[in-house]
Amino acid sequence: MTSAPHENAEHALLLGGELSGYRHHQVEDTAREAGPVHLVEQPNRVRVHVVTVGLEPARALLADERLSKDAEGVAGVMRRHMAEAGVASNLSAIIGGSMVNSDPPDHARLRRPVAAVLTPRRVEGLRDRVTGITRELLDGLDPDHPTDVVAGMALPLPLTVICELLGVPAPDRAALAAWSSAMMTEVPERQEPASAAMVDYLAALVDDKRARPDEGLLSALAHGEHEGERLAPDEVLTTAVLMIAAGHETTTAAIGNTLAALLRTGQWSAVAAAPASVPDVVREGLRFDPPVRNVPHYLVREPVDLGGGATLPEGALAVVNLGSANRDPAAFGPDAHRFLPSRTRTARSHLSFGNGWHRCVGSALALMETAIAVREIVVRWPKARPAIPVDRMARHPHVVINGFAGVDVVLAG
């Protein structure tokens, strides 16, 4: 059988919504136990099949050639769903034809020029700059009063880094962050004007880079060739939109989620006393509370048997839920639901950076930024405590990004 809309309203929360603390963990884990796929409607009335399977089945799906990322195909189904629901079928620029919304061979062509900038060696060369930005941001926080470390550090750090890489002027970065966040909601009245504003801004910026080249990635994309290929103007623009959004939203969530987990489990001071443990803390944070809620959006080219009589039907849109996969007891044992940085792990221990062709091209940068942010803040303020219980801290309602809207902390403890 194929999936059918669930009467259980809880499954709507697989796509975000009104969530706080770790409520989404209960939703995702319960959904995985109930079955492998759940048909849920996004705020823009697009119908998606949310796949809630264990680690290895999810890993296989993320590399399954029957699931297509082709932007035109995905967008066509989305527009049809919206038209059937009687809503305007204006889609976010995130759905444009960038590397994240393409299949081979176009995917490799679109990915190569970005990957050339984000090699491990080049990322390592950014370490001192990332550390310096982090310390400047921490200097601006008030340690004696409740402070939102998302607004104060977790957001501006990766936003500054990606904008410097791209060549975005400093005065314009806050507007880009606001547009990006609105686009992630899938709420048409917020998404549509934000998407239009970001596209207009970036189109003008790319034109400016064509006229006045600089050392930034946008200029390189607009002017350069990689292995004899040059991106078309619309491909430069959609790549810019993707890098602004993906280049900071996920890392912001990863930093906030990791710090919240340390606060909730009382492990902040222990990590401050043993900063060499930070890489393990970051890896466990990515597994336990992944910054990407659902890997978006696949068009099912052929029916996919998920077992237990459940099938992804041809022509459907599917997303793969990462919380369900990353807290799979079959992969991580009966304590999979717990945040344990000392957990024995293998190199393939979580799916937070995806799998297959679409594995995150910026994973090395995200890991470095998150590790530096966590280490710098816990070492500076080893006795920090939550200003309110973590379970009461609100989450963003986003379909794709899973992160706290704020993490309020008294840093001086």
Side-chain angles (χ1 to χ4, degrees), residues 53-341:
V53 294
L55 184 73
E56 293 309 321
R59 193 188 305 282
L61 276 175
L62 292 176
D64 194 319
E65 295 184 11
R66 293 172 293 179
L67 301 184
S68 170
K69 279 282 200 172
D70 175 66
E72 290 187 9
V74 169
V77 176
M78 288 183 169
R79 290 192 178 97
R80 175 166 57 82
H81 289 183
M82 296 169 79
E84 291 171 353
V87 300
S89 55
N90 299 318
L91 298 177
S92 164
I94 291 289
I95 307 299
S98 65
M99 59 183 163
V100 79
N101 293 316
S102 59
D103 295 328
D106 276 347
H107 170 264
R109 179 179 61 81
L110 294 166
R111 182 184 175 102
R112 274 193 292 266
V114 177
V117 174
L118 295 177
T119 63
R121 181 177 179 180
R122 292 193 179 189
V123 167
E124 185 59 31
L126 296 171
R127 181 173 295 277
D128 288 347
R129 178 59 181 148
V130 173
T131 301
I133 295 169
T134 304
R135 291 175 178 173
E136 290 172 9
L137 291 169
L138 296 182
D139 288 344
L141 302 184
D142 182 351
D144 297 314
H145 295 89
T147 298
D148 177 8
V149 294
V150 171
M153 179 189 66
L155 171 60
L157 170 60
L159 179 67
T160 300
V161 172
I162 195 62
C163 285
E164 286 187 353
L165 280 173
L166 288 168
V168 175
D172 302 336
R173 295 168 188 172
L176 285 171
W179 294 331
S180 175
S181 182
M183 288 163 66
M184 293 292 173
T185 65
E186 303 289 353
V187 176
E189 54 267 31
R190 294 189 61 197
Q191 179 192 72
E192 292 171 14
S195 179
M198 181 178 279
V199 167
D200 287 348
Y201 171 82
L202 288 175
L205 183 60
V206 170
D207 285 345
D208 183 68
K209 301 296 184 185
R210 289 195 177 98
R212 286 175 287 277
D214 58 25
E215 298 301 313
L217 177 56
L218 273 184
S219 184
L221 291 174
H223 288 274
E225 289 188 0
H226 191 81
E227 298 183 4
E229 296 176 335
R230 175 175 292 189
L231 299 188
D234 63 316
E235 293 171 338
V236 173
L237 182 57
T238 54
T239 298
V241 171
L242 170 67
M243 292 197 70
I244 290 291
H248 85 276
E249 294 274 5
T250 52
T251 306
T252 294
I255 295 169
N257 291 359
T258 303
L259 294 177
L262 289 174
L263 292 166
R264 185 173 184 256
T265 59
Q267 298 182 68
W268 184 293
S269 295
V271 175
S277 69
V278 166
D280 284 338
V281 169
V282 170
R283 283 191 291 268
E284 176 68 352
L286 289 167
R287 181 204 69 84
F288 170 74
D289 198 14
V292 173
R293 186 187 311 281
N294 298 297
V295 179
H297 281 87
Y298 292 91
L299 175 60
V300 182
R301 294 294 196 190
E302 301 176 25
V304 178
D305 183 2
L306 297 176
T311 302
L312 285 177
E314 181 178 347
L317 294 177
V319 301
V320 179
N321 182 267
L322 292 187
S324 168
N326 278 357
R327 293 189 306 278
D328 175 13
F332 299 104
D335 61 0
H337 62 288
R338 297 180 61 198
F339 175 72
L340 298 173

